[in-house]
């Protein structure tokens, strides 16, 4: 892979949670004057932050926005469940672990990416040519991430299970380095790493998740915040949808803007935004379809002993009150 793999993954995901804006959790809160948002470098929330869209939206209400950057979903949800954040995004797997750990959080909304952006990567000169060839090989992904789910589903498609491969738990920057130096045989990962790989003649996309895994992602909220501030959550979704629709309709403006936020080259950024089914404006409250998907995932991960207890997703779903 190019130097992007190690150098820019560190910039993209960061070395640790930026915690300077976090406040100590409390059991009760006064009338909300601040919305504390956790974010990761990418997607519609990053664009909204860059534009100051939510700050403008809530200024007249006397509500300020604070931002805390996270390297991935699990630590973001840990802060959310502990009451140190009010709102933030994640992929499909991290909320399962957060619910199992009894974090005080709820599913509030969804956004969808493209399944083409998640893939299993191998070296172009690798003897691995089919999914079945992964048997006995070292497969890396971050445990508890969406790539974990992709690995489970892709292996099953090839007649394998997690026990048929040697699992290597690595965060994206470390996995990128391990993939480059050949200490792992395959890598389950998401965009923009997939898009970077597709441009690298030394890397082969063994398979994408297209047709294998639906690309559901979620916005979660702290349980107390959601109970007390449902109207604000609806306004957040409305604003994010507007930002996303404008961005999707004008990629010539969006690509350099998002590239400046993430540090990912513009050609790679454009490729990720033009994936089949990708839509920055597809933001809204959680649907029955998304809940059913997440319940099936929870059941599967419990059966595989990946999560320690059986979960009922509807126990932690926020629904807006009927007007």
């Amino acid at each position: 892979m190019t130097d992007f793999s190690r150098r820019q993954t560190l910039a993209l995901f960061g070395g640790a949670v930026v915690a300077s804006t976090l406040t100590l959790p409390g059991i009760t809160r006064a009338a909300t004057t601040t919305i504390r948002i956790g974010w990761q470098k990418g997607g519609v929330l990053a664009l909204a932050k860059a534009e100051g869209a939510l700050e403008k939206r809530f200024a007249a209400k006397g509500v300020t926005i604070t931002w805390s950057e996270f390297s991935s979903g699990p630590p973001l949800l840990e802060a959310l469940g502990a009451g140190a954040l009010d709102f933030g995004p994640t992929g499909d797997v991290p909320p399962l672990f957060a619910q199992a750990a009894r974090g005080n959080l709820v599913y509030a909304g969804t956004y969808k990416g493209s399944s083409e952006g998640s893939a299993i990567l191998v070296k172009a000169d690798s003897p691995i040519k089919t999914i079945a060839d992964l048997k006995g090989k070292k497969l890396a992904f971050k445990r508890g991430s969406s790539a974990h789910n992709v690995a489970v589903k892709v292996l099953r498609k090839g007649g394998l299970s997690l026990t048929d491969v040697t699992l290597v738990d690595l965060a994206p920057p470390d996995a990128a380095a391990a993939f480059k130096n050949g200490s792992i045989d395959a890598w389950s990962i998401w965009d923009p790493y997939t898009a970077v790989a597709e441009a690298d003649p030394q890397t082969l996309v063994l398979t994408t998740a297209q047709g294998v895994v639906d690309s559901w992602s979620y916005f979660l909220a702290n349980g107390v915040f959601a109970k007390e501030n449902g109207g604000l959550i609806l306004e957040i979704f409305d604003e994010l949808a507007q930002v996303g629709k404008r961005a999707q309709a004008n990629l010539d403006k969006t690509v350099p803007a998002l590239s400046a936020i993430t540090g990912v080259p513009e050609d790679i950024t454009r490729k990720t935004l033009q994936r089949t089914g990708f839509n920055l404006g597809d933001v809204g409250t959680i649907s029955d379809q998304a809940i059913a998907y997440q319940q099936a995932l929870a059941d599967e991960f419990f059966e595989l002993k990946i999560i320690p207890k059986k979960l009922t997703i509807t126990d932690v779903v926020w629904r807006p009150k009927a007007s």
Side-chain angles (χ1 to χ4, degrees):
M1 292 183 116
T2 65
D3 287 343
F4 171 85
S5 299
R6 179 64 179 173
R7 186 181 69 254
Q8 298 216 239
T9 49
L10 290 172
L12 181 62
F13 278 81
V17 174
V18 178
S20 60
T21 59
L22 295 183
T23 59
L24 293 175
I27 298 175
T28 60
R29 296 184 60 200
T32 298
T33 58
T34 301
I35 302 174
R36 303 164 299 169
I37 298 177
W39 73 293
Q40 301 175 57
K41 285 184 175 178
V44 67
L45 201 58
L47 290 170
K49 180 180 184 295
E51 294 179 14
L54 293 172
E55 287 83 350
K56 295 170 188 174
R57 173 85 177 224
F58 290 107
K61 298 179 183 295
V63 176
T64 59
I65 307 294
T66 64
W67 299 86
S68 297
E69 184 184 336
F70 289 78
S71 62
S72 62
L76 188 157
L77 294 187
E78 183 178 355
L80 195 72
L85 289 175
D86 299 315
F87 184 87
T90 180
D92 53 6
V93 174
L96 304 182
F97 287 86
Q99 183 181 356
R102 298 187 178 183
N104 185 10
L105 43 71
V106 292
Y107 292 88
T110 60
Y111 61 103
K112 287 197 76 172
S114 171
S115 296
E116 291 179 352
S118 293
I120 305 291
L121 310 180
V122 297
K123 290 287 190 177
D125 60 357
S126 169
I128 301 171
K129 303 301 180 185
T130 69
I131 298 170
D133 293 336
L134 289 169
K135 187 171 183 177
K137 304 300 183 181
K138 292 181 179 179
L139 173 62
F141 54 82
K142 181 58 191 169
R143 183 178 183 275
S145 71
S146 61
H148 196 158
N149 184 28
V150 170
V152 169
K153 300 289 199 303
V154 166
L155 288 171
R156 179 180 299 146
K157 181 181 177 182
L160 303 177
S161 70
L162 292 178
T163 59
D164 291 313
V165 298
T166 299
L167 305 180
V168 183
D169 182 9
L170 292 174
D174 297 320
F179 185 77
K180 184 177 181 179
N181 67 30
S183 60
I184 58 174
D185 301 300
W187 182 19
S188 177
I189 192 58
W190 53 80
D191 267 337
Y193 307 100
T194 305
V196 172
E198 288 173 321
D200 184 351
Q202 297 182 25
T203 301
L204 174 70
V205 176
L206 183 66
T207 181
T208 72
Q210 187 73 13
V212 181
V213 180
D214 288 334
S215 186
W216 284 104
S217 294
Y218 298 89
F219 289 107
L220 283 93
N222 172 266
V224 175
F225 177 84
K227 184 177 180 180
E228 297 178 352
N229 300 283
L232 295 183
I233 292 176
L234 290 176
E235 289 203 55
I236 291 173
F237 287 144
D238 181 65
E239 191 64 34
L240 292 180
Q242 291 184 47
V243 169
K245 288 173 184 176
R246 290 195 303 269
Q248 198 69 41
N250 189 357
L251 291 185
D252 287 342
K253 179 179 178 182
T254 302
V255 167
L258 199 54
S259 178
I261 297 168
T262 64
V264 177
E266 290 189 18
D267 60 329
I268 301 299
T269 299
R270 183 176 292 275
K271 187 174 186 68
T272 65
L273 296 179
Q274 292 180 324
R275 299 282 195 193
T276 301
F278 191 91
N279 184 352
L280 286 164
D282 188 8
V283 175
T285 54
I286 194 163
S287 65
D288 291 339
Q289 182 184 6
I291 294 171
Y293 168 88
Q294 199 69 356
Q295 184 63 61
L297 181 59
D299 293 343
E300 178 178 35
F301 269 43
F302 173 69
E303 290 171 6
L304 293 172
K305 297 181 170 38
I306 297 171
I307 56 174
K309 60 188 292 187
K310 192 168 181 61
L311 303 177
T312 301
I313 299 301
T314 52
D315 288 347
V316 290
V317 171
W318 172 81
R319 296 281 201 180
K321 293 180 180 179
S323 57

